[in-house]
Structure formats: C-alpha cells, structure tokens
Amino acid sequence: MSNENASGLEEKRNNVATVQSQIDKMEAELNMIKNETQDYVNRCSAEAKQTLEDVHVASHDLDIMEREAAELLKATQLNLQGAIKQSEEKIQMRARELLKLVDSISKYKEYVESKISEMNRDLSETATAVSEAYRDSFPAQFINILNSKKIAHCTLSLISQ
C-alpha cells in the first residue's frame, strides 16, 4: 500500500509539476502579453502626445496666420480706401477742369459768333457802300434801272424764302 501511495504521490507530484510547468509557461506568456500591451499602450500614448503637440503647433500656426491675414486685410482695406479717395479727388479735379474747358469753349463760341456777326455786318455795310459808290458812278438814267432791278431782286428773295 505504501508503494501504491508512493506511486500515487509520485503521479500527483508529476501532475503538479506538469501543471506548475503549464502555469509557469502561461505566466511567461501573460507577462509577455502584458509587456507587449504595455509597449503598445506606451506607443499609442506617445503617438497621442505627438498628435496633440502637432495639433497645438498647428493651432498656434493657424492663430498666427489668422492674425497676419487680419492685419493684411486691414492694411489692404486702408490702401483701398486711400486709393478710392484719391481717385474721387482726381475725378473731381478733372470734372472741374472739364467744366472750365466747356465754359471756356462756350465763351469762345460766343466770341466767334459775335465776330462773325460783326464781320457780316461790316461786309454788308461794305457791299452797300460799294453798291452805292458803283451806282453813283452811273448816269441818272441807269440808276432808275438799277433801283428797279434791286426792287425785283428783293421781291424774288422774299418770295423764295
């Protein structure tokens, strides 16, 4: 019975050793999985930190760009307002010059019309004087003929008008 007990005990010891070996193997695998999991968690954490840092840097860069864009927009708007004001001033100045030119042309036109009228009057007076001088150079009998032709010519002129 002692042999049987020893053999049963030995078998149980072998079973315990086998189970212990399997437990050790599983603990080793568990430790390895824990280490791999911890490495993976650490990598993910590092990536998350790097991503977060990249987001902060990008956000900071975006803030700077937004400020620069706002400053550029403001400067551009000021330049545009200045250019518009300058253009309007130039337009007003050109408009005044144009009005002065139109006024000057109008006055010159009046002057030319006055001169033409004066020249026509002088020409008419000269033509009348030449006609009278020419008529006075004829003997009296031709003057009556000329007067009758002058009256006929005036009548025809009035009729044709």
Side-chain angles (χ1 to χ4, degrees):
M1 196 156 200
S2 170
N3 264 344
E4 277 182 30
N5 282 342
S7 141
L9 190 56
E10 189 60 35
E11 193 178 314
K12 285 185 181 181
R13 279 187 196 152
N14 285 338
N15 283 342
V16 168
T18 303
V19 169
Q20 186 62 45
S21 171
Q22 286 178 347
I23 289 173
D24 290 343
K25 197 190 252 185
M26 294 211 114
E27 281 181 348
E29 279 184 39
L30 181 64
N31 286 336
M32 188 176 76
I33 290 172
K34 280 182 181 179
N35 288 338
E36 287 175 0
T37 303
Q38 188 61 42
D39 288 346
Y40 181 74
V41 167
N42 290 340
R43 278 195 314 270
C44 289
S45 177
E47 282 182 32
K49 285 178 185 177
Q50 184 62 44
T51 303
L52 184 61
E53 185 178 324
D54 291 347
V55 167
H56 285 304
V57 168
S59 175
H60 178 70
D61 291 347
L62 183 61
D63 289 342
I64 290 171
M65 288 186 346
E66 284 177 346
R67 264 186 270 126
E68 289 174 354
E71 290 171 5
L72 179 64
L73 177 63
K74 185 177 180 179
T76 303
Q77 286 175 337
L78 289 174
N79 287 341
L80 176 62
Q81 289 174 354
I84 289 171
K85 183 178 178 183
Q86 190 176 21
S87 289
E88 287 175 352
E89 288 171 356
K90 283 183 180 180
I91 289 169
Q92 291 296 324
M93 184 177 71
R94 297 295 185 238
R96 285 190 296 274
E97 289 174 0
L98 180 61
L99 288 175
K100 285 179 184 177
L101 182 62
V102 167
D103 188 48
S104 174
I105 290 171
S106 177
K107 287 178 182 178
Y108 184 73
K109 180 183 174 195
E110 289 174 10
Y111 169 75
V112 168
E113 286 174 347
S114 170
K115 278 296 185 185
I116 290 172
S117 178
E118 184 180 321
M119 291 169 90
N120 282 337
R121 188 176 58 250
D122 289 347
L123 180 62
S124 178
E125 289 173 1
T126 303
T128 302
V130 168
S131 173
E132 287 176 6
Y134 181 69
R135 191 177 58 189
D136 289 344
S137 71
F138 286 119
Q141 70 219 26
F142 291 122
I143 291 177
N144 289 335
I145 295 171
L146 286 173
N147 282 337
S148 66
K149 284 190 177 185
K150 187 177 180 183
I151 291 171
H153 179 65
C154 286
T155 305
L156 285 175
S157 292
L158 290 173
I159 291 171
S160 67
Q161 288 179 356

